[in-house]
Amino acid sequence: CTSVVAEDSNGNLIHGRNLDFGLFMGWDMKNKSWQITEQLKPLVVNIDFRRSNHTVFKSTGFAGYAGMLTGMKPHSFSLTINERFSMDGGYIGIIEWLLHHRDAMWMGFLTRTVLENATSYEEARSLLSQTKLLAPAYYILGGNQTGQGCIITRARTESLKPLELNLKQGRWYLLQTNYDHWKAPLFLDDRRTPGMKCMNQTLQPNISFKTLYDVLSTKPVLNKLTTYTTLMEVSKGKLESFVRDCPNPCMPW
Amino acid sequence: STQYVPPYTEECRTGMYPPQGPTFKGAVTWYTVDLDLPPSKRWSALMSEKKDDIANMIKVIKDIADAFVPSGKLIDFVDKVLPLIVDTLPYPYDEELKGIASASGVPLGEIALFNLFYEVFTV
């Protein structure tokens, strides 16, 4: 996955993501595609979650998946998850769950709970940083005011080296793939460098849905695992999603 | 073929929006989930519409599982054990998963597997 939260020159926050899923799960030799990735595409849906006839939050997800990977609470915050691979991975959390150690939360359910119940960027950030999880994850959170954007790197029990937008230091965007931000990405899977190159070329005054979609359409940020692209603008309550394809030549991940 | 050699990158794209062309496979449809409904009913309308698509996806997962464990024991495990996990999930997710299984006609264990995919694949 690749998630980006960026602030334009007017202090407006734009949040976008490519959802990549299905690595090593059945390569279709004929169509040069991942089988699960292709099967997920018809399941992509935008959902308006409503209570008392009012929107509580909006999300892009997969039909049949009750948790959330991408969502936005209009005028409050936007949130995406990127997978964090670790030997201390989710299977250990599942085993603990089966052994009746059930004080941790399932990752997608925590995201949904935060989208449903948190009322501000700060509250969302606190819940995502402090709640014990079954699996490691990267949470990318955007707000509706200048400087409100952060990457929360989660181990199962703690938050590691949070990184925030900082305009004074020239950090007007945050770009997260599937690697810790303080380490170099795997050289075989470097979407961070081309993504940042395109963001740097775009320049802060030009960031918009249009230019962020361009960044998320550049290979290998766009790759054979990319299922959908979502763009969100919290201040306007706007969420757009598109099912993607990556014609050859295209990286398998 | 050299283009597949990592790290393959291209020049930064421009003019891709509004989405069109070969990298755009379609717009995403909007649905409403009413949180005032009982959890078991919230997903009924959406799942009725998408039941064929989710059945196709589950079939591919089963085929891949069968390729790894040809005896079919892996899917047996999913169908027998994972429904028991659903009862341990916090409310309202336990009820929602049962509602999704009921509306789609897909066995509860396989719906549970789909919902636990992320945790399983972080290793």
Side-chain angles (χ1 to χ4, degrees), chain A residues 84-92 136 154-156, chain B residues 121-123:
Chain A
R84 182 169 184 247
F85 302 102
S86 165
M87 287 309 290
D88 183 14
Y91 71 101
I92 293 176
R154 281 302 311 266
R156 292 194 302 120
Chain B
F121 282 95
T122 49
V123 62

Side-chain angles (χ1 to χ4, degrees), chain A residues 2-214:
Chain A
T2 303
S3 289
V4 183
V5 59
E7 179 172 333
D8 69 16
S9 301
N10 300 318
N12 193 39
L13 285 141
I14 308 272
H15 192 156
R17 73 114 81 238
N18 278 353
L19 189 289
D20 302 347
F21 193 82
L23 184 64
F24 302 134
M25 294 173 72
W27 178 252
D28 182 340
M29 297 288 283
K30 186 180 166 196
N31 296 310
K32 294 190 170 60
S33 61
W34 295 102
Q35 290 178 356
I36 293 289
T37 307
E38 293 306 306
Q39 293 299 327
L40 283 172
K41 289 178 183 177
L43 293 172
V44 179
V45 288
N46 286 334
I47 304 177
D48 183 4
F49 285 85
R50 296 176 77 88
R51 188 176 284 135
S52 305
N53 263 336
H54 292 286
T55 296
V56 179
F57 67 98
K58 298 175 180 180
S59 83
T60 306
F62 298 112
Y65 184 77
M68 295 295 129
L69 303 174
T70 306
M72 173 186 67
K73 192 143 195 165
H75 313 294
S76 292
F77 61 88
S78 54
L79 176 57
T80 55
I81 292 178
N82 287 8
E83 201 162 10
R84 182 169 184 247
F85 302 102
S86 165
M87 287 309 290
D88 183 14
Y91 71 101
I92 293 176
I94 292 175
I95 290 168
E96 286 184 359
W97 187 272
L98 293 172
L99 295 173
H100 298 274
H101 298 290
R102 293 178 186 155
D103 56 339
M105 266 198 90
W106 298 82
M107 182 274 317
F109 297 157
L110 173 62
T111 315
R112 168 135 167 229
T113 301
V114 168
L115 284 163
E116 212 168 314
N117 300 320
T119 55
S120 66
Y121 170 84
E122 289 80 9
E123 188 182 358
R125 188 184 159 174
S126 170
L127 285 167
L128 295 168
S129 301
Q130 294 172 16
T131 308
K132 189 176 173 187
L133 289 169
L134 263 82
Y138 299 106
Y139 286 107
I140 300 88
L141 181 66
N144 70 342
Q145 290 173 33
T146 180
Q148 287 188 335
C150 65
I151 294 169
I152 300 165
T153 302
R154 281 302 311 266
R156 292 194 302 120
T157 56
E158 60 185 337
S159 170
L160 309 168
K161 301 187 180 182
L163 183 67
E164 299 191 50
L165 288 176
N166 189 327
L167 297 182
K168 285 179 184 168
Q169 291 181 8
R171 198 158 57 234
W172 59 274
Y173 73 87
L174 298 169
L175 187 148
Q176 177 67 35
T177 61
N178 301 98
Y179 299 92
D180 296 344
H181 65 78
W182 60 92
K183 294 178 185 168
L186 184 69
F187 77 100
L188 287 169
D189 181 30
D190 185 4
R191 284 162 283 125
R192 184 195 295 170
T193 305
M196 289 181 70
K197 177 186 153 197
C198 295
M199 287 299 290
N200 292 339
Q201 277 185 22
T202 300
L203 303 175
Q204 188 183 12
N206 301 321
I207 197 69
S208 64
F209 270 25
K210 178 180 179 301
T211 52
L212 188 51
Y213 188 82
D214 286 338

Side-chain angles (χ1 to χ4, degrees), chain B residues 4-32:
Chain B
Y4 288 104
V5 177
Y8 164 64
T9 62
E10 61 182 5
E11 290 302 309
C12 297
R13 289 277 185 166
T14 57
M16 300 294 286
Y17 188 93
Q20 57 185 322
T23 65
F24 171 58
K25 205 167 181 178
V28 179
T29 308
W30 278 95
Y31 294 84
T32 298

